[in-house]
Amino acid sequence: MFLFFSVRNRITVKLQHSWSQIFTGETITLRCEIQGGEGKVWKYEWTAPNTNSPPTSSKYWIRRVSVSRSGDYRCRGSSDYLLTGWSDAFRLTVSYKPKAKLRADNTAVPVGGSVTLTCSVNPSSSSGWKYYWYRDEKSSEALTTQDAVFHSNGQISVSQEGLYRCRGGRGNPVYYTEDSQSVRIDKTVSNRPVVTLYPNWSEIYRGETITVRCEIHGGDTEWDYEWETNSMIKAPNQNEYRIRSASSSNSGNYRCKGRMKSSQHKTTEWSDSVTLTVSDSK
C-alpha cells in the first residue's frame, strides 16, 4: 500500500486552442498544467464524460470530437509520493458542425467592374476561421489570387460570372465547415434593353389592345427575357406582352432585362421603367 502526501500545487485544465467554441468533428487537445511542478516526473489522472480509458499524460487528445464528449473534465497529478488535488472542472461544450454563409453586395458584375462577396461562419462568436472560395458547383479547387482580389479575411472581389460558394476552415489538420449556399453572380453585358408600348398613345382606355415590348439592340444574340412590374397582372418572360383587353389592373411600371441563351450567367442591365396607365372611362 502506497502512502501519498497531498501537495497544494495549483492545477488547471486548459483547452490548447485559440478558440473556445468547439464543433463536432474537430480534433482538440486538453492540457493538465501543474504550477510549481517543474523538475518532477508526473503521472496524470483524468475524469471525463463518456470514456473508459482516459490518458495518463498531461495531454488529453480527442480526435473527431462528438457532442457526447461535452461535459466536465478534471485532472490531478502524482509524482513519487506526492499527489495533487483535483483541478477545477473545465466545461467542454461541443456544438454541431456549423455552416458558412455567403453574401454578395450585388448579384451582377457591372461592365468593367466587380462585386464583393463576404463569407462568415455562424455563430459569429466562433473564431479562428480561414475562408476558402469556390466557383461553380463541381469545382473542388479553391480560388486563388488569379481568380479574385482577396481583401480582409472573409471578403473577396470577383469580376467573373458563375456560382460561388465558400466554407471556413481552422486547425491542423484543417477542420472545414459545411459549404455555404451557392450565390449566382451574373455578368452585365453592354447591350441596353428598352421597353416600348405599341401603339404608343398617351392615353390607353379599358378594352383596348396594347403590346409591351422589350427590345435589346446590338448583335444577333438570342435572349431570355425577364420582366419586373408593380401591376396587378405579371408579364410573361417573353420579349412581348400582348394585352388584348386592357384594364386598370394592367396599369403600372414595366421594365425588363435579357439573359443570354448561350450563357445564362450573362445579363443586360435593367431597362428604364415605362409607365402604363389604363383609364376606365372612354
Side-chain angles (χ1 to χ4, degrees):
M1 178 177 179
F2 290 99
L3 180 64
F4 286 98
F5 296 94
S6 178
V7 292
R8 295 188 177 185
N9 301 66
R10 180 166 176 77
I11 184 166
T12 55
V13 175
K14 293 183 178 180
L15 181 65
Q16 194 173 308
H17 297 283
S18 58
W19 50 84
S20 58
Q21 194 150 13
I22 302 300
F23 298 99
T24 54
E26 287 196 274
T27 296
I28 66 168
T29 302
L30 299 171
R31 180 187 290 274
C32 185
E33 295 185 353
I34 302 174
Q35 294 183 8
E38 299 83 0
K40 295 183 176 65
V41 178
W42 294 95
K43 181 179 179 180
Y44 295 83
E45 186 178 351
W46 291 83
T47 63
N50 297 310
T51 181
N52 295 321
S53 56
T56 57
S57 64
S58 62
K59 291 184 179 180
Y60 196 144
W61 185 71
I62 305 175
R63 184 171 179 266
R64 295 181 181 175
V65 67
S66 63
V67 172
S68 66
R69 302 305 296 273
S70 296
D72 291 339
Y73 289 73
R74 294 180 176 87
C75 70
R76 67 179 179 179
S78 59
S79 177
D80 296 328
Y81 297 103
L82 304 178
L83 179 66
T84 70
W86 285 102
S87 68
D88 291 335
F90 176 87
R91 173 63 56 88
L92 177 67
T93 301
V94 182
S95 304
Y96 288 104
K97 190 172 189 176
K99 184 173 184 176
K101 181 179 180 181
L102 178 59
R103 292 183 294 107
D105 68 342
N106 196 337
T107 56
V109 178
V111 176
S114 63
V115 300
T116 299
L117 305 179
T118 302
C119 190
S120 59
V121 174
N122 287 325
S124 58
S125 59
S126 62
S127 61
W129 300 106
K130 178 182 177 182
Y131 294 96
Y132 301 83
W133 305 84
Y134 305 88
R135 185 174 66 234
D136 299 329
E137 290 182 332
K138 295 181 180 179
S139 174
S140 59
E141 294 293 326
L143 300 184
T144 67
T145 53
Q146 294 181 334
D147 309 300
V149 176
F150 287 75
H151 302 298
S152 59
N153 193 24
Q155 278 196 334
I156 62 171
S157 292
V158 297
S159 57
Q160 293 297 315
E161 70 276 10
L163 281 174
Y164 287 85
R165 69 186 194 281
C166 69
R167 63 178 176 173
R170 69 183 187 183
N172 184 20
V174 179
Y175 169 82
Y176 294 104
T177 68
E178 298 283 359
D179 285 5
S180 69
Q181 294 287 340
S182 294
V183 171
R184 177 176 180 154
I185 300 298
D186 296 324
K187 190 165 188 175
T188 305
V189 295
S190 58
N191 307 67
R192 181 76 180 182
V194 176
V195 175
T196 52
L197 302 179
Y198 295 94
N200 191 18
W201 293 330
S202 59
E203 292 182 302
I204 303 296
Y205 296 99
R206 177 170 51 85
E208 287 192 290
T209 296
I210 189 168
T211 299
V212 184
R213 180 175 297 166
C214 183
E215 297 179 343
I216 302 174
H217 302 287
D220 299 324
T221 304
E222 292 187 344
W223 303 93
D224 289 324
Y225 295 85
E226 183 178 342
W227 290 88
E228 190 173 82
T229 176
N230 59 357
S231 71
M232 295 176 63
I233 301 176
K234 302 305 178 185
N237 288 334
Q238 301 170 358
N239 70 318
E240 285 190 356
Y241 175 33
R242 188 172 177 83
I243 305 170
R244 295 189 179 278
S245 182
S247 67
S248 58
S249 60
N250 296 116
S251 296
N253 297 320
Y254 291 79
R255 67 175 187 167
C256 71
K257 71 176 181 178
R259 186 179 300 277
M260 286 186 180
K261 287 189 173 182
S262 60
S263 180
Q264 285 290 296
H265 289 300
K266 292 185 177 179
T267 71
T268 68
E269 294 180 343
W270 285 102
S271 69
D272 293 332
S273 293
V274 169
T275 301
L276 172 62
T277 303
V278 180
S279 302
D280 285 332
S281 58
K282 291 188 177 179

